[in-house]
mmCIF file of all heavy atoms in Angstrom:
data_model
loop_
_atom_site.group_PDB
_atom_site.id
_atom_site.type_symbol
_atom_site.label_atom_id
_atom_site.label_comp_id
_atom_site.label_asym_id
_atom_site.label_seq_id
_atom_site.Cartn_x
_atom_site.Cartn_y
_atom_site.Cartn_z
ATOM 1 N N LYS B 300 3.011 -9.043 9.966
ATOM 2 C CA LYS B 300 4.327 -8.641 10.458
ATOM 3 C C LYS B 300 5.412 -9.289 9.647
ATOM 4 O O LYS B 300 5.200 -10.390 9.083
ATOM 5 C CB LYS B 300 4.478 -9.049 11.936
ATOM 6 C CG LYS B 300 3.575 -8.277 12.864
ATOM 7 C CD LYS B 300 3.906 -8.606 14.295
ATOM 8 C CE LYS B 300 2.965 -7.852 15.234
ATOM 9 N NZ LYS B 300 3.204 -8.172 16.630
ATOM 10 N N THR B 301 6.532 -8.660 9.587
ATOM 11 C CA THR B 301 7.667 -9.228 8.858
ATOM 12 C C THR B 301 8.154 -10.459 9.581
ATOM 13 O O THR B 301 8.468 -10.446 10.773
ATOM 14 C CB THR B 301 8.826 -8.196 8.812
ATOM 15 O OG1 THR B 301 8.309 -7.003 8.233
ATOM 16 C CG2 THR B 301 9.978 -8.722 7.986
ATOM 17 N N THR B 302 8.187 -11.567 8.849
ATOM 18 C CA THR B 302 8.739 -12.827 9.398
ATOM 19 C C THR B 302 9.561 -13.465 8.290
ATOM 20 O O THR B 302 9.443 -13.104 7.125
ATOM 21 C CB THR B 302 7.630 -13.829 9.787
ATOM 22 O OG1 THR B 302 6.783 -14.033 8.635
ATOM 23 C CG2 THR B 302 6.794 -13.330 10.935
ATOM 24 N N ALA B 303 10.377 -14.390 8.665
ATOM 25 C CA ALA B 303 11.200 -15.085 7.665
ATOM 26 C C ALA B 303 10.745 -16.524 7.503
ATOM 27 O O ALA B 303 11.454 -17.376 7.027
ATOM 28 C CB ALA B 303 12.661 -15.033 8.072
ATOM 29 N N HIS B 304 9.510 -16.800 7.931
ATOM 30 C CA HIS B 304 8.997 -18.169 7.911
ATOM 31 C C HIS B 304 7.486 -18.116 7.963
ATOM 32 O O HIS B 304 6.902 -17.094 8.420
ATOM 33 C CB HIS B 304 9.504 -18.928 9.118
ATOM 34 C CG HIS B 304 9.225 -18.152 10.386
ATOM 35 N ND1 HIS B 304 8.015 -18.097 10.998
ATOM 36 C CD2 HIS B 304 10.058 -17.323 11.114
ATOM 37 C CE1 HIS B 304 8.059 -17.291 12.041
ATOM 38 N NE2 HIS B 304 9.267 -16.796 12.128
ATOM 39 N N ILE B 305 6.803 -19.164 7.569
ATOM 40 C CA ILE B 305 5.397 -19.277 7.884
ATOM 41 C C ILE B 305 5.271 -20.148 9.104
ATOM 42 O O ILE B 305 6.274 -20.685 9.614
ATOM 43 C CB ILE B 305 4.541 -19.834 6.690
ATOM 44 C CG1 ILE B 305 5.085 -21.193 6.214
ATOM 45 C CG2 ILE B 305 4.467 -18.831 5.580
ATOM 46 C CD1 ILE B 305 4.129 -21.888 5.230
ATOM 47 N N GLU B 306 4.082 -20.324 9.589
ATOM 48 C CA GLU B 306 3.783 -21.219 10.709
ATOM 49 C C GLU B 306 4.502 -22.551 10.451
ATOM 50 O O GLU B 306 4.379 -23.114 9.350
ATOM 51 C CB GLU B 306 2.260 -21.407 10.687
ATOM 52 C CG GLU B 306 1.644 -22.021 11.916
ATOM 53 C CD GLU B 306 1.434 -20.984 13.009
ATOM 54 O OE1 GLU B 306 0.620 -20.105 12.778
ATOM 55 O OE2 GLU B 306 2.097 -21.092 14.060
ATOM 56 N N PRO B 307 5.228 -23.076 11.427
ATOM 57 C CA PRO B 307 6.041 -24.282 11.148
ATOM 58 C C PRO B 307 5.253 -25.499 10.652
ATOM 59 O O PRO B 307 5.760 -26.277 9.861
ATOM 60 C CB PRO B 307 6.740 -24.565 12.440
ATOM 61 C CG PRO B 307 6.295 -23.564 13.443
ATOM 62 C CD PRO B 307 5.485 -22.542 12.740
ATOM 63 N N TRP B 308 3.997 -25.636 11.122
ATOM 64 C CA TRP B 308 3.221 -26.799 10.640
ATOM 65 C C TRP B 308 2.980 -26.678 9.135
ATOM 66 O O TRP B 308 3.116 -27.656 8.376
ATOM 67 C CB TRP B 308 1.902 -26.894 11.401
ATOM 68 C CG TRP B 308 1.140 -28.147 11.053
ATOM 69 C CD1 TRP B 308 1.301 -29.382 11.638
ATOM 70 C CD2 TRP B 308 0.171 -28.330 10.003
ATOM 71 N NE1 TRP B 308 0.483 -30.306 11.046
ATOM 72 C CE2 TRP B 308 -0.222 -29.683 10.035
ATOM 73 C CE3 TRP B 308 -0.391 -27.495 9.052
ATOM 74 C CZ2 TRP B 308 -1.146 -30.222 9.150
ATOM 75 C CZ3 TRP B 308 -1.327 -28.018 8.177
ATOM 76 C CH2 TRP B 308 -1.686 -29.336 8.229
ATOM 77 N N PHE B 309 2.636 -25.485 8.686
ATOM 78 C CA PHE B 309 2.401 -25.272 7.253
ATOM 79 C C PHE B 309 3.691 -25.421 6.459
ATOM 80 O O PHE B 309 3.676 -25.919 5.329
ATOM 81 C CB PHE B 309 1.767 -23.911 7.001
ATOM 82 C CG PHE B 309 0.323 -23.895 7.351
ATOM 83 C CD1 PHE B 309 -0.112 -23.609 8.649
ATOM 84 C CD2 PHE B 309 -0.620 -24.225 6.401
ATOM 85 C CE1 PHE B 309 -1.443 -23.678 8.970
ATOM 86 C CE2 PHE B 309 -1.959 -24.260 6.719
ATOM 87 C CZ PHE B 309 -2.368 -23.968 8.019
ATOM 88 N N ASP B 310 4.781 -24.975 7.040
ATOM 89 C CA ASP B 310 6.068 -25.092 6.371
ATOM 90 C C ASP B 310 6.446 -26.556 6.160
ATOM 91 O O ASP B 310 6.884 -26.949 5.108
ATOM 92 C CB ASP B 310 7.149 -24.386 7.201
ATOM 93 C CG ASP B 310 8.508 -24.370 6.522
ATOM 94 O OD1 ASP B 310 8.537 -24.163 5.279
ATOM 95 O OD2 ASP B 310 9.522 -24.507 7.199
ATOM 96 N N LYS B 311 6.126 -27.374 7.174
ATOM 97 C CA LYS B 311 6.538 -28.782 7.111
ATOM 98 C C LYS B 311 5.595 -29.619 6.222
ATOM 99 O O LYS B 311 6.036 -30.456 5.468
ATOM 100 C CB LYS B 311 6.540 -29.360 8.525
ATOM 101 C CG LYS B 311 7.068 -30.792 8.636
ATOM 102 C CD LYS B 311 7.381 -31.148 10.086
ATOM 103 C CE LYS B 311 7.763 -32.620 10.211
ATOM 104 N NZ LYS B 311 7.943 -32.999 11.632
ATOM 105 N N TYR B 312 4.276 -29.325 6.323
ATOM 106 C CA TYR B 312 3.328 -30.226 5.677
ATOM 107 C C TYR B 312 2.665 -29.712 4.430
ATOM 108 O O TYR B 312 2.204 -30.461 3.586
ATOM 109 C CB TYR B 312 2.249 -30.643 6.690
ATOM 110 C CG TYR B 312 2.806 -31.476 7.803
ATOM 111 C CD1 TYR B 312 3.098 -30.910 9.039
ATOM 112 C CD2 TYR B 312 3.120 -32.823 7.594
ATOM 113 C CE1 TYR B 312 3.636 -31.677 10.068
ATOM 114 C CE2 TYR B 312 3.678 -33.604 8.612
ATOM 115 C CZ TYR B 312 3.952 -33.010 9.843
ATOM 116 O OH TYR B 312 4.499 -33.772 10.825
ATOM 117 N N ILE B 313 2.528 -28.379 4.304
ATOM 118 C CA ILE B 313 1.700 -27.860 3.217
ATOM 119 C C ILE B 313 2.493 -27.046 2.173
ATOM 120 O O ILE B 313 2.497 -27.408 1.001
ATOM 121 C CB ILE B 313 0.542 -26.977 3.768
ATOM 122 C CG1 ILE B 313 -0.225 -27.755 4.844
ATOM 123 C CG2 ILE B 313 -0.379 -26.524 2.656
ATOM 124 C CD1 ILE B 313 -0.984 -28.998 4.331
ATOM 125 N N PHE B 314 3.163 -25.972 2.587
ATOM 126 C CA PHE B 314 3.896 -25.134 1.638
ATOM 127 C C PHE B 314 5.356 -24.971 2.110
ATOM 128 O O PHE B 314 5.673 -23.950 2.688
ATOM 129 C CB PHE B 314 3.238 -23.752 1.533
ATOM 130 C CG PHE B 314 1.885 -23.743 0.893
ATOM 131 C CD1 PHE B 314 0.749 -23.578 1.651
ATOM 132 C CD2 PHE B 314 1.771 -23.940 -0.483
ATOM 133 C CE1 PHE B 314 -0.496 -23.551 1.059
ATOM 134 C CE2 PHE B 314 0.500 -23.925 -1.079
ATOM 135 C CZ PHE B 314 -0.640 -23.744 -0.324
ATOM 136 N N PRO B 315 6.194 -25.931 1.810
ATOM 137 C CA PRO B 315 7.585 -25.829 2.299
ATOM 138 C C PRO B 315 8.228 -24.565 1.735
ATOM 139 O O PRO B 315 8.110 -24.224 0.585
ATOM 140 C CB PRO B 315 8.268 -27.065 1.688
ATOM 141 C CG PRO B 315 7.173 -27.983 1.317
ATOM 142 C CD PRO B 315 5.985 -27.141 1.022
ATOM 143 N N ASN B 316 8.897 -23.839 2.662
ATOM 144 C CA ASN B 316 9.674 -22.661 2.295
ATOM 145 C C ASN B 316 8.860 -21.454 1.839
ATOM 146 O O ASN B 316 9.429 -20.493 1.320
ATOM 147 C CB ASN B 316 10.730 -22.975 1.226
ATOM 148 C CG ASN B 316 11.706 -24.032 1.727
ATOM 149 O OD1 ASN B 316 12.063 -24.030 2.892
ATOM 150 N ND2 ASN B 316 12.093 -24.939 0.846
ATOM 151 N N ALA B 317 7.551 -21.521 1.987
ATOM 152 C CA ALA B 317 6.739 -20.322 1.658
ATOM 153 C C ALA B 317 6.939 -19.252 2.745
ATOM 154 O O ALA B 317 7.241 -19.575 3.900
ATOM 155 C CB ALA B 317 5.271 -20.692 1.543
ATOM 156 N N VAL B 318 6.803 -18.023 2.373
ATOM 157 C CA VAL B 318 6.834 -16.899 3.316
ATOM 158 C C VAL B 318 5.710 -15.932 2.934
ATOM 159 O O VAL B 318 5.570 -15.602 1.749
ATOM 160 C CB VAL B 318 8.182 -16.132 3.236
ATOM 161 C CG1 VAL B 318 8.156 -14.885 4.142
ATOM 162 C CG2 VAL B 318 9.331 -17.026 3.596
ATOM 163 N N LEU B 319 4.922 -15.505 3.909
ATOM 164 C CA LEU B 319 3.875 -14.541 3.596
ATOM 165 C C LEU B 319 4.491 -13.137 3.557
ATOM 166 O O LEU B 319 4.963 -12.653 4.581
ATOM 167 C CB LEU B 319 2.774 -14.597 4.644
ATOM 168 C CG LEU B 319 2.067 -15.944 4.806
ATOM 169 C CD1 LEU B 319 0.850 -15.794 5.696
ATOM 170 C CD2 LEU B 319 1.669 -16.519 3.450
ATOM 171 N N PRO B 320 4.452 -12.489 2.400
ATOM 172 C CA PRO B 320 5.039 -11.146 2.350
ATOM 173 C C PRO B 320 4.180 -10.138 3.112
ATOM 174 O O PRO B 320 2.970 -10.293 3.179
ATOM 175 C CB PRO B 320 5.023 -10.821 0.861
ATOM 176 C CG PRO B 320 4.136 -11.788 0.188
ATOM 177 C CD PRO B 320 3.903 -12.959 1.117
ATOM 178 N N THR B 321 4.834 -9.136 3.690
ATOM 179 C CA THR B 321 4.056 -8.035 4.235
ATOM 180 C C THR B 321 3.917 -6.994 3.139
ATOM 181 O O THR B 321 4.734 -6.939 2.211
ATOM 182 C CB THR B 321 4.793 -7.346 5.399
ATOM 183 O OG1 THR B 321 6.045 -6.845 4.943
ATOM 184 C CG2 THR B 321 5.017 -8.344 6.572
#
Side-chain angles (χ1 to χ4, degrees):
Chain B
K300 292 187 182 178
T301 304
T302 55
H304 51 79
I305 55 170
E306 194 82 66
W308 187 86
F309 283 87
D310 185 37
K311 186 167 174 185
Y312 294 101
I313 307 295
F314 292 107
N316 300 322
V318 176
L319 300 189
T321 61

